[in-house]
Amino acid sequence: MLHRRNDPHRTPRDCFDPPALGYRSKWQASVMRTGFAKRCITLGWKIAYYSKKAGLTQEFLAERCGKSVNFIGQVESPGTIRGVSLETLFKIAQVLKLQPSKLLEDD
């Protein structure tokens, strides 16, 4: 629940409650606020595209990157906004035999 800025009864949690806003985590909500959601989705599409092009499964990619299959599925899914750390991005690019910039560049 969001409260007015001058409400004397508000708590820090009241000011920003991700589940009440429909987000799973504070990180996901921050991605939405900063406008990077579209970039995260595009990154996921590119990972899925290059994985399929290389004939790799989500299971193989997850194993080689040290991540769970669920995590890779969330990253690749356009319905879920899931960003990745730089370390994970580098690992994924290495498995896909791509430069990390290839996954980040605008087409």
Side-chain angles (χ1 to χ4, degrees):
M1 167 182 256
L2 295 175
H3 291 272
R4 301 189 89 174
R5 180 175 226 155
N6 297 329
D7 184 350
H9 303 290
R10 72 182 184 139
T11 66
R13 177 124 175 108
D14 291 334
C15 299
F16 185 68
D17 187 6
L21 297 173
Y23 304 119
R24 293 184 187 171
S25 68
K26 288 183 181 180
W27 183 89
Q28 186 181 26
S30 71
V31 167
M32 292 300 291
R33 276 198 330 260
T34 58
F36 292 119
K38 186 176 177 182
R39 300 287 306 262
C40 290
I41 291 169
T42 302
L43 174 64
W45 283 342
K46 287 183 179 186
I47 292 170
Y49 171 78
Y50 288 115
S51 295
K52 188 170 186 172
K53 188 174 178 181
L56 305 178
T57 63
Q58 287 183 344
E59 290 82 8
F60 181 82
L61 184 60
E63 181 182 320
R64 299 286 293 205
C65 294
K67 297 292 181 181
S68 70
V69 176
N70 186 38
F71 175 83
I72 298 296
Q74 287 177 355
V75 170
E76 291 183 352
S77 172
T80 305
I81 299 163
R82 182 75 163 111
V84 298
S85 69
L86 283 175
E87 182 180 358
T88 301
L89 177 71
F90 293 149
K91 287 179 182 178
I92 290 171
Q94 184 178 25
V95 172
L96 296 176
K97 298 179 181 161
L98 297 170
Q99 291 294 321
S101 61
K102 187 75 172 168
L103 297 173
L104 295 174
E105 65 190 17
D106 290 331
D107 292 329

